[in-house]
Short mmCIF file of all heavy atoms in Angstrom, two decimals:
data_model
loop_
_atom_site.label_atom_id
_atom_site.label_comp_id
_atom_site.label_asym_id
_atom_site.label_seq_id
_atom_site.Cartn_x
_atom_site.Cartn_y
_atom_site.Cartn_z
N CYS A 157 106.50 60.81 -138.32
CA CYS A 157 105.34 61.51 -137.74
C CYS A 157 104.10 60.67 -137.95
O CYS A 157 104.02 59.88 -138.89
CB CYS A 157 105.12 62.85 -138.44
SG CYS A 157 106.52 63.98 -138.34
N THR A 158 103.10 60.88 -137.08
CA THR A 158 101.83 60.17 -137.22
C THR A 158 100.69 61.10 -136.81
O THR A 158 100.88 61.98 -135.97
CB THR A 158 101.84 58.87 -136.38
OG1 THR A 158 100.60 58.20 -136.55
CG2 THR A 158 102.06 59.14 -134.91
N TYR A 159 99.53 60.91 -137.43
CA TYR A 159 98.39 61.84 -137.25
C TYR A 159 97.14 61.04 -136.91
O TYR A 159 96.80 60.09 -137.61
CB TYR A 159 98.21 62.62 -138.56
CG TYR A 159 97.21 63.75 -138.53
CD1 TYR A 159 97.64 65.07 -138.65
CD2 TYR A 159 95.84 63.51 -138.46
CE1 TYR A 159 96.73 66.12 -138.66
CE2 TYR A 159 94.93 64.56 -138.46
CZ TYR A 159 95.39 65.86 -138.58
OH TYR A 159 94.50 66.90 -138.59
N HIS A 160 96.44 61.43 -135.85
CA HIS A 160 95.26 60.69 -135.39
C HIS A 160 94.07 61.63 -135.13
O HIS A 160 94.27 62.82 -134.89
CB HIS A 160 95.57 59.94 -134.09
CG HIS A 160 96.68 58.97 -134.23
ND1 HIS A 160 96.51 57.68 -134.68
CD2 HIS A 160 98.02 59.11 -134.03
CE1 HIS A 160 97.67 57.06 -134.73
NE2 HIS A 160 98.61 57.91 -134.35
N ALA A 161 92.87 61.04 -135.11
CA ALA A 161 91.67 61.81 -134.77
C ALA A 161 91.31 61.58 -133.30
O ALA A 161 91.42 60.45 -132.81
CB ALA A 161 90.51 61.34 -135.66
N PHE A 162 90.93 62.65 -132.61
CA PHE A 162 90.57 62.56 -131.19
C PHE A 162 89.21 63.23 -130.98
O PHE A 162 89.00 64.36 -131.43
CB PHE A 162 91.61 63.30 -130.31
CG PHE A 162 92.99 62.72 -130.41
CD1 PHE A 162 93.88 63.16 -131.38
CD2 PHE A 162 93.41 61.73 -129.53
CE1 PHE A 162 95.16 62.63 -131.47
CE2 PHE A 162 94.69 61.19 -129.62
CZ PHE A 162 95.58 61.66 -130.59
N ARG A 163 88.32 62.52 -130.28
CA ARG A 163 87.01 63.11 -129.99
C ARG A 163 87.16 63.97 -128.75
O ARG A 163 87.44 63.48 -127.66
CB ARG A 163 86.00 61.99 -129.79
CG ARG A 163 84.60 62.52 -129.71
CD ARG A 163 83.61 61.38 -129.87
NE ARG A 163 82.34 61.84 -129.34
CZ ARG A 163 81.48 61.08 -128.73
NH1 ARG A 163 81.75 59.80 -128.55
NH2 ARG A 163 80.35 61.58 -128.29
N VAL A 164 86.97 65.28 -128.91
CA VAL A 164 87.13 66.24 -127.81
C VAL A 164 85.92 67.16 -127.79
O VAL A 164 85.54 67.73 -128.83
CB VAL A 164 88.43 67.08 -128.01
CG1 VAL A 164 88.55 68.15 -126.94
CG2 VAL A 164 89.67 66.18 -128.00
N SER A 165 85.31 67.35 -126.63
CA SER A 165 84.16 68.26 -126.52
C SER A 165 84.69 69.66 -126.19
O SER A 165 85.80 69.81 -125.67
CB SER A 165 83.22 67.77 -125.42
OG SER A 165 83.89 67.91 -124.18
N PRO A 166 83.89 70.71 -126.45
CA PRO A 166 84.33 72.07 -126.14
C PRO A 166 84.77 72.23 -124.68
O PRO A 166 85.76 72.90 -124.40
CB PRO A 166 83.11 72.93 -126.45
CG PRO A 166 82.37 72.15 -127.49
CD PRO A 166 82.59 70.70 -127.15
N ASP A 167 84.08 71.57 -123.76
CA ASP A 167 84.41 71.68 -122.33
C ASP A 167 85.82 71.16 -122.02
O ASP A 167 86.44 71.58 -121.05
CB ASP A 167 83.43 70.84 -121.48
CG ASP A 167 82.09 71.53 -121.39
OD1 ASP A 167 82.02 72.71 -121.80
OD2 ASP A 167 81.13 70.89 -120.93
N ASN A 168 86.26 70.21 -122.83
CA ASN A 168 87.57 69.59 -122.57
C ASN A 168 88.69 70.13 -123.44
O ASN A 168 89.83 69.65 -123.36
CB ASN A 168 87.47 68.08 -122.81
CG ASN A 168 86.67 67.40 -121.72
OD1 ASN A 168 86.72 67.82 -120.57
ND2 ASN A 168 85.90 66.40 -122.09
N LEU A 169 88.38 71.13 -124.27
CA LEU A 169 89.37 71.57 -125.26
C LEU A 169 90.66 72.08 -124.61
O LEU A 169 91.76 71.72 -125.02
CB LEU A 169 88.77 72.64 -126.19
CG LEU A 169 89.75 73.17 -127.24
CD1 LEU A 169 90.24 72.05 -128.16
CD2 LEU A 169 89.11 74.27 -128.08
N LYS A 170 90.50 72.90 -123.58
CA LYS A 170 91.70 73.47 -122.96
C LYS A 170 92.59 72.37 -122.37
O LYS A 170 93.81 72.35 -122.61
CB LYS A 170 91.30 74.48 -121.87
CG LYS A 170 92.48 75.23 -121.33
CD LYS A 170 92.06 76.37 -120.43
CE LYS A 170 93.31 77.13 -120.00
NZ LYS A 170 93.00 78.22 -119.09
N ASP A 171 91.98 71.45 -121.64
CA ASP A 171 92.76 70.34 -121.06
C ASP A 171 93.42 69.52 -122.15
O ASP A 171 94.58 69.11 -122.03
CB ASP A 171 91.85 69.42 -120.23
CG ASP A 171 91.41 70.08 -118.92
OD1 ASP A 171 92.03 71.09 -118.54
OD2 ASP A 171 90.45 69.57 -118.31
N ALA A 172 92.66 69.27 -123.23
CA ALA A 172 93.20 68.45 -124.33
C ALA A 172 94.40 69.14 -124.97
O ALA A 172 95.41 68.49 -125.27
CB ALA A 172 92.11 68.19 -125.37
N LEU A 173 94.30 70.44 -125.17
CA LEU A 173 95.42 71.17 -125.81
C LEU A 173 96.64 71.21 -124.89
O LEU A 173 97.77 71.01 -125.34
CB LEU A 173 94.97 72.60 -126.17
CG LEU A 173 94.02 72.69 -127.37
CD1 LEU A 173 93.53 74.12 -127.55
CD2 LEU A 173 94.71 72.21 -128.65
N LEU A 174 96.40 71.48 -123.61
CA LEU A 174 97.52 71.51 -122.66
C LEU A 174 98.18 70.14 -122.58
O LEU A 174 99.41 70.01 -122.54
CB LEU A 174 97.04 71.97 -121.27
CG LEU A 174 96.67 73.45 -121.17
CD1 LEU A 174 96.01 73.75 -119.83
CD2 LEU A 174 97.89 74.36 -121.37
N GLY A 175 97.33 69.09 -122.60
CA GLY A 175 97.85 67.72 -122.56
C GLY A 175 98.67 67.41 -123.80
O GLY A 175 99.76 66.85 -123.72
N ALA A 176 98.15 67.80 -124.95
CA ALA A 176 98.85 67.54 -126.21
C ALA A 176 100.20 68.24 -126.22
O ALA A 176 101.22 67.65 -126.60
CB ALA A 176 98.00 68.01 -127.39
N LYS A 177 100.21 69.48 -125.75
CA LYS A 177 101.48 70.22 -125.71
C LYS A 177 102.45 69.54 -124.74
O LYS A 177 103.62 69.34 -125.06
CB LYS A 177 101.24 71.68 -125.31
CG LYS A 177 102.53 72.49 -125.30
CD LYS A 177 102.29 73.96 -125.18
CE LYS A 177 103.61 74.71 -124.99
NZ LYS A 177 104.60 74.50 -126.06
N ALA A 178 101.93 69.17 -123.56
CA ALA A 178 102.78 68.53 -122.55
C ALA A 178 103.35 67.21 -123.06
O ALA A 178 104.47 66.84 -122.72
CB ALA A 178 101.97 68.30 -121.28
N MET A 179 102.58 66.52 -123.90
CA MET A 179 103.05 65.22 -124.40
C MET A 179 103.91 65.34 -125.65
O MET A 179 104.28 64.34 -126.24
CB MET A 179 101.84 64.31 -124.66
CG MET A 179 101.19 63.85 -123.38
SD MET A 179 99.94 62.58 -123.67
CE MET A 179 98.65 63.54 -124.40
N GLY A 180 104.17 66.57 -126.06
CA GLY A 180 105.09 66.76 -127.19
C GLY A 180 104.47 66.62 -128.56
O GLY A 180 105.18 66.36 -129.54
N PHE A 181 103.15 66.79 -128.67
CA PHE A 181 102.52 66.78 -130.00
C PHE A 181 103.19 67.84 -130.88
O PHE A 181 103.59 68.91 -130.40
CB PHE A 181 101.03 67.15 -129.89
CG PHE A 181 100.10 66.00 -129.59
CD1 PHE A 181 100.43 65.03 -128.65
CD2 PHE A 181 98.88 65.91 -130.23
CE1 PHE A 181 99.56 63.99 -128.37
CE2 PHE A 181 97.99 64.87 -129.97
CZ PHE A 181 98.33 63.91 -129.03
N GLY A 182 103.23 67.56 -132.18
CA GLY A 182 103.77 68.54 -133.11
C GLY A 182 102.78 69.66 -133.38
O GLY A 182 103.14 70.83 -133.52
N GLY A 183 101.50 69.32 -133.47
CA GLY A 183 100.47 70.32 -133.74
C GLY A 183 99.13 69.65 -133.84
O GLY A 183 99.06 68.41 -133.92
N VAL A 184 98.06 70.44 -133.81
CA VAL A 184 96.73 69.86 -134.01
C VAL A 184 95.88 70.74 -134.92
O VAL A 184 96.09 71.94 -135.03
CB VAL A 184 95.95 69.62 -132.69
CG1 VAL A 184 96.66 68.66 -131.77
CG2 VAL A 184 95.63 70.90 -131.98
N ASN A 185 94.92 70.07 -135.56
CA ASN A 185 93.84 70.77 -136.26
C ASN A 185 92.61 70.71 -135.39
O ASN A 185 92.43 69.77 -134.61
CB ASN A 185 93.50 70.07 -137.58
CG ASN A 185 94.52 70.31 -138.66
OD1 ASN A 185 95.00 69.38 -139.29
ND2 ASN A 185 94.87 71.57 -138.88
N LEU A 186 91.76 71.71 -135.54
CA LEU A 186 90.47 71.72 -134.84
C LEU A 186 89.36 71.74 -135.88
O LEU A 186 89.49 72.38 -136.91
CB LEU A 186 90.33 72.95 -133.96
CG LEU A 186 91.37 73.13 -132.86
CD1 LEU A 186 91.06 74.40 -132.08
CD2 LEU A 186 91.40 71.92 -131.92
N THR A 187 88.29 71.02 -135.57
CA THR A 187 87.12 71.09 -136.43
C THR A 187 85.89 71.31 -135.56
O THR A 187 86.02 71.58 -134.36
CB THR A 187 87.06 69.85 -137.36
OG1 THR A 187 85.97 70.03 -138.25
CG2 THR A 187 86.91 68.55 -136.60
N VAL A 188 84.71 71.22 -136.18
CA VAL A 188 83.45 71.46 -135.47
C VAL A 188 83.39 70.63 -134.19
O VAL A 188 83.73 69.44 -134.25
CB VAL A 188 82.27 71.06 -136.40
CG1 VAL A 188 80.93 71.23 -135.71
CG2 VAL A 188 82.32 71.91 -137.68
N PRO A 189 82.99 71.12 -133.05
CA PRO A 189 82.52 72.48 -132.74
C PRO A 189 83.56 73.29 -131.96
O PRO A 189 83.19 74.05 -131.08
CB PRO A 189 81.31 72.18 -131.84
CG PRO A 189 81.77 70.98 -131.04
CD PRO A 189 82.76 70.22 -131.89
N LEU A 190 84.85 73.13 -132.30
CA LEU A 190 85.90 73.67 -131.42
C LEU A 190 86.58 74.93 -131.95
O LEU A 190 87.35 75.56 -131.21
CB LEU A 190 86.97 72.59 -131.20
CG LEU A 190 86.45 71.24 -130.69
CD1 LEU A 190 87.59 70.22 -130.66
CD2 LEU A 190 85.83 71.39 -129.30
N LYS A 191 86.34 75.27 -133.20
CA LYS A 191 87.14 76.34 -133.83
C LYS A 191 86.99 77.70 -133.14
O LYS A 191 87.96 78.45 -133.03
CB LYS A 191 86.78 76.48 -135.30
CG LYS A 191 87.18 75.30 -136.17
CD LYS A 191 86.84 75.61 -137.62
CE LYS A 191 87.04 74.42 -138.51
NZ LYS A 191 86.87 74.77 -139.93
N GLN A 192 85.78 78.02 -132.73
CA GLN A 192 85.55 79.33 -132.07
C GLN A 192 86.06 79.29 -130.63
O GLN A 192 86.67 80.23 -130.15
CB GLN A 192 84.06 79.71 -132.07
CG GLN A 192 83.53 80.16 -133.41
CD GLN A 192 83.07 78.98 -134.26
OE1 GLN A 192 83.09 77.84 -133.82
NE2 GLN A 192 82.68 79.25 -135.49
N GLU A 193 85.77 78.18 -129.98
CA GLU A 193 86.14 77.97 -128.57
C GLU A 193 87.65 78.21 -128.36
O GLU A 193 88.07 78.76 -127.34
CB GLU A 193 85.79 76.52 -128.21
CG GLU A 193 85.89 76.16 -126.75
CD GLU A 193 84.73 76.71 -125.94
OE1 GLU A 193 83.68 77.01 -126.53
OE2 GLU A 193 84.91 76.83 -124.71
N ALA A 194 88.44 77.81 -129.33
CA ALA A 194 89.90 77.86 -129.20
C ALA A 194 90.43 79.28 -129.08
O ALA A 194 91.52 79.50 -128.52
CB ALA A 194 90.54 77.19 -130.41
N LEU A 195 89.67 80.25 -129.60
CA LEU A 195 90.15 81.65 -129.58
C LEU A 195 90.48 82.12 -128.17
O LEU A 195 91.40 82.92 -127.97
CB LEU A 195 89.07 82.58 -130.14
CG LEU A 195 89.06 82.81 -131.64
CD1 LEU A 195 87.99 83.81 -131.96
CD2 LEU A 195 90.41 83.28 -132.14
N GLY A 196 89.72 81.65 -127.19
CA GLY A 196 89.93 82.06 -125.80
C GLY A 196 91.08 81.30 -125.13
O GLY A 196 91.40 81.58 -123.97
N ILE A 197 91.66 80.35 -125.83
CA ILE A 197 92.66 79.48 -125.21
C ILE A 197 94.05 79.70 -125.81
O ILE A 197 95.04 79.77 -125.10
CB ILE A 197 92.25 77.99 -125.39
CG1 ILE A 197 90.88 77.73 -124.75
CG2 ILE A 197 93.32 77.06 -124.78
CD1 ILE A 197 90.28 76.37 -125.07
N VAL A 198 94.11 79.83 -127.14
CA VAL A 198 95.43 79.89 -127.80
C VAL A 198 95.79 81.34 -128.14
O VAL A 198 94.97 82.25 -128.05
CB VAL A 198 95.44 79.02 -129.08
CG1 VAL A 198 95.01 77.60 -128.78
CG2 VAL A 198 94.57 79.64 -130.17
N ASP A 199 97.02 81.52 -128.55
CA ASP A 199 97.50 82.81 -129.01
C ASP A 199 97.24 82.89 -130.53
O ASP A 199 98.04 82.41 -131.32
CB ASP A 199 99.00 82.90 -128.67
CG ASP A 199 99.64 84.14 -129.24
OD1 ASP A 199 98.92 85.10 -129.56
OD2 ASP A 199 100.89 84.14 -129.37
N ALA A 200 96.07 83.43 -130.88
CA ALA A 200 95.64 83.41 -132.29
C ALA A 200 96.29 84.54 -133.09
O ALA A 200 96.45 85.65 -132.58
CB ALA A 200 94.12 83.53 -132.37
N ASP A 201 96.64 84.26 -134.35
CA ASP A 201 97.21 85.29 -135.21
C ASP A 201 96.09 86.24 -135.67
O ASP A 201 94.90 85.93 -135.50
CB ASP A 201 98.03 84.67 -136.36
CG ASP A 201 97.18 84.28 -137.56
OD1 ASP A 201 95.95 84.08 -137.40
OD2 ASP A 201 97.74 84.17 -138.65
#
Side-chain angles (χ1 to χ4, degrees):
C157 301
T158 181
Y159 187 112
H160 301 274
F162 299 88
R163 189 165 161 214
V164 175
S165 67
D167 285 349
N168 289 325
L169 179 60
K170 188 171 183 182
D171 288 345
L173 287 174
L174 289 171
K177 182 169 172 58
M179 288 189 287
F181 274 43
V184 299
N185 285 130
L186 300 181
T187 185
V188 177
L190 307 174
K191 292 184 188 187
Q192 286 86 4
E193 189 76 20
L195 272 183
I197 301 170
V198 306
D199 173 20
D201 85 337

